[in-house]
Amino acid sequence: MKEAKLTLDINEKPPVLKWIILALQHVFAMFGATILVPILVNAAAGTTVLTIPVALVTSGIGTLLYILCTKGKSPVYLGSSFAFITPLAVGAVKAGVGGAMTGMMLVGIIYMIVAAIIAICGKDWIHKLLPPIVIGPMIMIIGLSLASSAVSQIGISAGTEVIDYKGVIVALFTFLVTAVTMLKAKGFLKIIPFLVGMASGYVLSVILGLVDFTPVLEAAFFSIPDFVLPFISYTPTLGAALTIAPIAIVTIAEHIGDHSALSTIIGKDLIKEPGLNRTLLGDGLATFVAGLLGGPANTTYGENTAVVGMTKIASVWVIGLAAIFAILLGFLGKFTALVSTIPNAVLGGVSLLLYGFIAVNGLKVLIENRVDFGKSRNVIIASSMLVLGLGGAAIGIGTVTVSGMSLAAVIGVILNLLLPKDDEEVTEEKVENKKEEKEEAKAEVVVENNKKGKNKNKTKNAKNNTEVVRVEKVEEKPNDNLVVLNHPLVEHKLSILRDKKTGTKEFRELVGEIGMFLCYEAMNDAELEEVEIETPIQKIDAKRLNEDKYAFLPILRAGTGMLDGLIKVIPNAKIGHIGMYRNEETLQPVRYFFKVPNGIENREVLVLDPMLATGGSGCDAIAQLKEEGVTNIKFLCLIAAPEGVEKMQKEHPDVKIYCAALDEKLNEKGYIVPGLGDAGDRIFGTK
Ligand code: PRP
Ligand code: URA
């Protein structure tokens, strides 16, 4: 994972004053969402299910528990989860506040069970169950489903009959101040954009007469939050709990997504260290305790990722102090009353920026994990999840109703398990079997030919006692005319390329990329011409390549796959084509096309073909070029077999071979071992 440049690293403790201010900024940055969840749940349920003071206290306690469980190695602030708004409201209507709280505790227990299984069996199964194609759309749904709440806070939802222009002005002002602070502020102000934005929006609201201070005047300085406790406030029941429980799929997915996104931002893989089992345990314990005290369920917070991403402050010290402030603030009656006077428009201005980040994080999960939307299965999974998750779907099974996000999560998991993993892979596998059958038949033909004396190199296959073609392995000796790229990056790319699970798109890209590396090496002796240029500072004599002097000649078809990489680095080279295929029976090259640029004889020619197997195709292509008078030729391939190298060096000792790997041998069917299979078919997805 790429190291990230952080202003404050995970274990860095800032000086006291800065620490306090940063912690306040963190806790306030979370405010928009933390206090909004109780407000929205109550509005949806039509009764008081949650309160702001309890939400603050449970988010603080939850964060401290999380820090404890993760041994202070993960910079995450836990806050009220938006994923629970609808389930909590529905649960409370069905089974009262107690039923909703029991549901949340059950979700916490599910987290802890999953964490325990991961600790014992590892996390591979969870990745299979919740791969990026399920997690990405899930996080997008959570973010996008909040979009309308930000818009309604601003007061410009479609259908709003009387627009409160003062509110809209405040929201826009808050948004602009936050955005400008992010973009332009210097030093410390740059890392507290949300605090600056909210404070500015609040001041403007006071000036415009949008704030009513009566609740603050009436509130006590200190007050105990209204905790809702099991067996005291209610008797736990399982009915509504089962309706809420499926949401665990969503929030576990969100948890993994947030941690993956945060890992990228801070340059440390949190899924490995402290480990998914510990982060899930912390999150689960926090959610359980929230249910126990009557607060909203906790989540690892997309907003936290956004704030850490923007401020580059990943200090657990800052987050821990923010948690303590949240707990204390929950007991400050005057303060919570003051918070309740923050106009919706101010929250809307900040949310406009924050909620988008959640959805964008979902997109990032898809992009960073290279989810290929060229594959129909991915399109089907994401499409159905997005529509069900955002379209307000709900399915009742007995007393349990699965709706919205839960339904999208369940469907995403099921589709991912049921749909064929990879169309191409399945086809490849089938074709591989067919090919083997076909080639066994072909081997028999070769045996026949051998028997008739048509092939000189023959040997016995001890295993099945049939005669097969085998080309003698050449001795491995230092060779000036053979350059094997020896570089960790090339080795890395080759390992993906060789993998039979690698799909067409990635395979094609890798062939181009390795082609580029080969070109880089082959141009090592290139002659440069002197030119005079002027830098912004002064004139200098510089050196340039005369790109026009070069010609690239891919051998059709597979050679064209390498072309992309080469023309990226020498875009003005001329391009020709040599059409040739290898007869499957005799392994001899068959010519079918030849078109080269004018004046080819005066150019330096790079012949491209990913595979140098028996060497038949490469040698014949070069022979044709020599017939045209070309004298300056290099041969570039991804994988060479010793047999092909030997043939090339015998027939064209003047041609230098550049390859990314020199493999072990050819098999009885003329394929390179271990090789990568049929290059042409894998590049073009023809089998
Ligand atoms: C492959 C490969 C080379 C040739 C190498 O092409 O791209 O051109 O085999 O084998 P050789 O050195 O033993 O001749 P193929 O004949 O399969 O044609 P394709 O590129 O169209 O698939
Ligand atoms: N051609 C290929 O595409 N692959 C081999 O292994 C040999 C020849």
Side-chain angles (χ1 to χ4, degrees):
M1 184 160 285
K2 206 171 127 216
E3 271 296 312
K5 217 170 153 223
L6 297 169
T7 313
L8 273 181
D9 211 340
I10 294 180
N11 292 114
E12 266 185 279
K13 188 160 77 171
V16 176
L17 185 62
K18 194 172 170 188
W19 187 15
I20 292 172
I21 298 172
L22 288 177
L24 278 175
Q25 117 122 356
H26 211 94
V27 83
F28 277 109
M30 305 300 158
F31 252 41
T34 304
I35 63 174
L36 205 63
V37 171
I39 296 170
L40 292 180
V41 171
N42 295 346
T47 176
T48 303
V49 183
L50 301 165
T51 61
I52 292 174
V54 178
L56 283 169
V57 172
T58 51
S59 101
I61 293 177
T63 302
L64 292 178
L65 287 170
Y66 174 91
I67 291 176
L68 214 66
C69 292
T70 54
K71 300 192 285 186
K73 290 182 177 171
S74 179
V76 166
Y77 183 97
L78 295 182
S80 318
S81 170
F82 278 93
F84 282 82
I85 293 175
T86 315
L88 275 180
V90 172
V93 169
K94 271 191 170 180
V97 177
M101 293 304 145
T102 317
M104 261 192 319
M105 286 189 269
L106 187 60
V107 170
I109 291 169
I110 293 174
Y111 267 58
M112 290 187 262
I113 293 171
V114 171
I117 299 175
I118 290 175
I120 297 164
C121 311
K123 59 181 182 330
D124 287 356
W125 64 275
I126 204 155
H127 285 303
K128 281 196 185 112
L129 210 63
L130 299 171
I133 181 58
V134 178
I135 293 177
M138 216 46 257
I139 297 174
M140 288 176 72
I141 290 169
I142 293 170
L144 293 175
S145 63
L146 299 173
S148 62
S149 88
V151 172
S152 95
Q153 282 177 319
I154 297 169
I156 50 169
S157 305
T160 308
E161 280 175 10
V162 186
I163 290 185
D164 173 5
Y165 286 102
K166 279 187 186 172
V168 175
I169 289 167
V170 166
L172 281 181
F173 179 72
T174 308
F175 166 78
L176 284 176
V177 173
T178 312
V180 171
T181 310
M182 249 175 225
L183 289 169
K184 295 280 177 204
K186 298 253 178 304
F188 188 59
L189 274 189
K190 191 173 173 65
I191 56 174
I192 52 166
F194 296 104
L195 205 55
V196 174
M198 283 173 91
S200 312
Y202 192 75
V203 170
L204 182 63
S205 306
V206 174
I207 294 168
L208 294 178
L210 294 176
V211 182
D212 174 11
F213 287 105
T214 318
V216 185
L217 296 173
E218 286 174 353
F221 273 98
F222 297 100
S223 60
I224 309 269
D226 292 326
F227 294 112
V228 180
L229 305 169
F231 304 108
I232 297 173
S233 316
Y234 63 92
T235 307
T237 50
L238 266 185
L242 295 176
T243 305
I244 295 173
I247 205 74
I249 300 176
V250 181
T251 44
I252 287 176
E254 186 190 14
H255 177 106
I256 297 172
D258 280 345
H259 280 80
S260 307
L262 191 60
S263 298
T264 314
I265 285 169
I266 64 172
K268 293 183 176 68
D269 192 351
L270 301 169
I271 308 283
K272 275 199 191 129
E273 182 67 30
L276 192 56
N277 55 326
R278 286 190 168 275
T279 60
L280 267 174
L281 174 69
D283 201 352
L285 200 57
T287 296
F288 181 81
V289 171
L292 200 67
L293 298 178
N298 285 304
T299 179
T300 41
Y301 248 53
E303 290 85 338
N304 178 78
T305 313
V307 174
V308 174
M310 281 185 215
T311 60
K312 302 285 177 215
I313 292 168
S315 167
V316 177
W317 292 94
V318 170
I319 288 168
L321 188 60
I324 292 170
F325 282 153
I327 297 169
L328 294 177
L329 292 174
F331 285 84
L332 289 184
K334 287 276 184 216
F335 176 77
T336 48
L338 186 71
V339 169
S340 69
T341 67
I342 297 176
N344 264 347
V346 174
L347 299 175
V350 177
S351 305
L352 189 59
L353 214 53
L354 277 178
Y355 295 163
F357 274 101
I358 303 176
V360 171
N361 276 334
L363 262 185
K364 273 167 76 180
V365 168
L366 295 173
I367 293 166
E368 277 158 15
N369 289 285
R370 295 159 141 205
V371 173
D372 182 358
F373 279 103
K375 287 183 180 155
S376 307
R377 78 182 303 272
N378 291 339
V379 174
I380 294 167
I381 295 171
S383 311
S384 45
M385 286 178 73
L386 288 170
V387 171
L388 290 171
L390 297 170
I395 294 178
I397 308 157
T399 53
V400 181
T401 303
V402 189
S403 61
M405 288 175 211
S406 305
L407 188 61
V410 172
I411 296 294
V413 168
I414 293 174
L415 282 180
N416 176 59
L417 293 176
L418 293 187
L419 292 179
K421 276 284 168 265
D422 183 330
D423 305 350
E424 287 154 11
E425 273 174 38
V426 170
T427 318
E428 260 171 34
E429 249 172 53
K430 281 184 193 156
V431 168
E432 199 59 41
N433 293 339
K434 269 197 191 155
K435 201 154 89 187
E436 254 162 43
E437 283 165 29
K438 208 172 109 192
E439 280 167 349
E440 243 151 54
K442 193 169 76 184
E444 279 167 29
V445 175
V446 176
V447 170
E448 273 310 300
N449 287 342
N450 285 340
K451 282 181 184 156
K452 286 177 196 157
K454 284 190 186 165
N455 201 315
K456 290 187 187 95
N457 292 330
K458 60 180 182 178
T459 185
K460 285 244 178 201
N461 180 329
K463 208 165 156 210
N464 56 15
N465 207 27
T466 53
E467 280 181 307
V468 291
V469 176
R470 187 171 71 82
V471 186
E472 292 299 320
K473 188 174 185 290
V474 290
E475 257 181 57
E476 283 176 24
K477 52 184 182 225
N479 194 323
D480 280 343
N481 255 0
L482 172 68
V483 178
V484 184
L485 297 188
N486 184 11
H487 193 282
L489 189 55
V490 174
E491 185 111 21
H492 162 73
K493 302 254 175 207
L494 269 176
S495 83
I496 307 174
L497 190 78
R498 288 180 192 271
D499 193 329
K500 72 173 188 177
K501 287 200 241 86
T502 300
T504 304
K505 178 178 176 288
E506 198 177 3
F507 188 92
R508 200 179 289 148
E509 285 165 359
L510 286 164
V511 169
E513 278 169 22
I514 301 175
M516 193 192 297
F517 296 144
L518 286 164
C519 178
Y520 171 83
E521 190 56 45
M523 297 304 289
N524 201 11
D525 58 0
E527 281 173 21
L528 300 173
E529 294 171 1
E530 295 254 345
V531 286
E532 191 190 73
I533 59 156
E534 198 169 354
T535 75
I537 313 294
Q538 66 170 66
K539 280 188 181 169
I540 53 160
D541 288 324
K543 291 190 168 144
R544 291 233 170 115
L545 192 72
N546 178 4
E547 295 187 16
D548 208 29
K549 196 173 101 175
Y550 294 88
F552 300 151
L553 295 191
I555 298 181
L556 299 177
R557 298 170 300 167
T560 56
M562 295 166 71
L563 197 58
D564 273 0
L566 276 93
I567 54 179
K568 266 197 190 119
V569 276
I570 310 182
N572 293 311
K574 303 288 177 257
I575 295 163
H577 294 91
I578 304 175
M580 190 167 279
Y581 69 88
R582 194 168 74 147
N583 181 305
E584 288 190 353
E585 313 283 332
T586 62
L587 302 184
Q588 293 306 306
V590 180
R591 298 178 180 184
Y592 65 86
F593 187 72
F594 187 80
K595 176 89 183 159
V596 292
N598 283 341
I600 188 78
E601 65 282 4
N602 300 320
R603 300 181 191 276
E604 175 163 340
V605 173
L606 305 189
V607 177
L608 317 175
D609 196 329
M611 312 304 276
L612 180 65
T614 64
S617 312
C619 286
D620 196 45
I622 289 167
Q624 289 184 69
L625 287 172
K626 286 187 174 171
E627 281 163 30
E628 296 293 313
V630 184
T631 53
N632 195 349
I633 304 173
K634 288 174 177 163
F635 187 83
L636 274 57
C637 60
L638 302 191
I639 298 183
E643 294 85 343
V645 171
E646 191 188 43
K647 183 174 168 72
M648 183 71 84
Q649 290 183 337
K650 233 187 232 158
E651 293 184 17
H652 303 290
D654 54 315
V655 173
K656 201 161 176 171
I657 304 166
Y658 294 82
C659 66
L662 178 61
D663 271 10
E664 206 190 318
K665 59 179 179 185
L666 292 181
N667 68 11
E668 59 274 29
K669 292 145 195 170
Y671 275 79
I672 301 178
V673 178
L676 48 73
D678 191 304
D681 286 337
R682 294 194 66 186
I683 292 171
F684 297 103
T686 34
K687 281 192 178 166

